[in-house]
Amino acid sequence: PPPPDTISEMPPAPPKVEWNLAVIHFDFDKSDIRPGDATILQGNYDQFQKAIAADQRPAVTVEGYCDPIGTSEYNMALGMRRAESAKAYLVKLGADMNMFSTISYGEEKLVTQDQAQFEMNRRCEFKVAE
């Protein structure tokens, strides 16, 4: 008899999560999570939970950014406070703190150099390792 069809006997792999993680923003010189950004973080958290339910363990890097006002050293520290604040909020929602790492880019990766739009630079982005 022919060998059994081993491919059809294996359970199907869970569908890969399509990530659509939103960016959060901060007020000038602040690292506090604003109410609207808390809602955004809830949406990101829901995506993490969906991945975990599908037996995927995402490794997420929370990246903190700043505008170019202030010294580079200060902005690196502020970017890290922002990243840590976002991580702490997600952990407070119930996420596993071990799935997150944090990094600050300070003012290194500006979205805009237009001073009228500097608020776009004051942000955290979320990257999932594939």
Side-chain angles (χ1 to χ4, degrees):
D5 185 0
T6 56
I7 294 175
S8 65
E9 293 175 10
M10 295 181 62
K16 247 334 253 135
V17 171
E18 292 293 324
W19 297 106
N20 188 22
L21 299 172
V23 175
I24 63 169
H25 292 87
F26 296 86
D27 291 330
F28 177 73
D29 201 28
K30 301 284 187 206
S31 59
D32 303 329
I33 303 298
R34 304 178 305 182
D37 293 298
T39 302
I40 291 169
L41 286 173
Q42 179 68 54
N44 289 353
Y45 170 80
D46 293 344
Q47 290 181 61
F48 301 143
Q49 292 308 104
K50 192 178 293 186
I52 291 168
D55 276 341
Q56 297 174 32
R57 295 279 176 207
V60 181
T61 302
V62 183
E63 302 174 344
Y65 299 89
C66 299
D67 62 36
I69 299 171
T71 67
S72 293
E73 296 81 12
Y74 181 83
N75 286 335
M76 287 299 282
L78 178 58
M80 185 56 79
R81 286 194 305 274
R82 289 174 173 169
E84 289 292 334
S85 180
K87 173 185 170 181
Y89 193 89
L90 290 163
V91 169
K92 186 174 88 170
L93 290 175
D96 179 359
M97 70 182 298
N98 295 316
M99 73 185 227
F100 299 102
S101 60
T102 54
I103 188 168
S104 174
Y105 288 104
E107 61 190 75
E108 292 177 18
K109 297 182 178 185
L110 299 176
V111 172
T112 181
Q113 301 228 8
D114 180 353
Q115 193 166 1
Q117 297 179 334
F118 272 179
E119 68 272 2
M120 294 171 58
N121 294 317
R122 303 175 198 129
R123 69 196 191 280
C124 276
E125 296 182 9
F126 304 86
K127 304 289 171 47
V128 177
E130 296 295 329

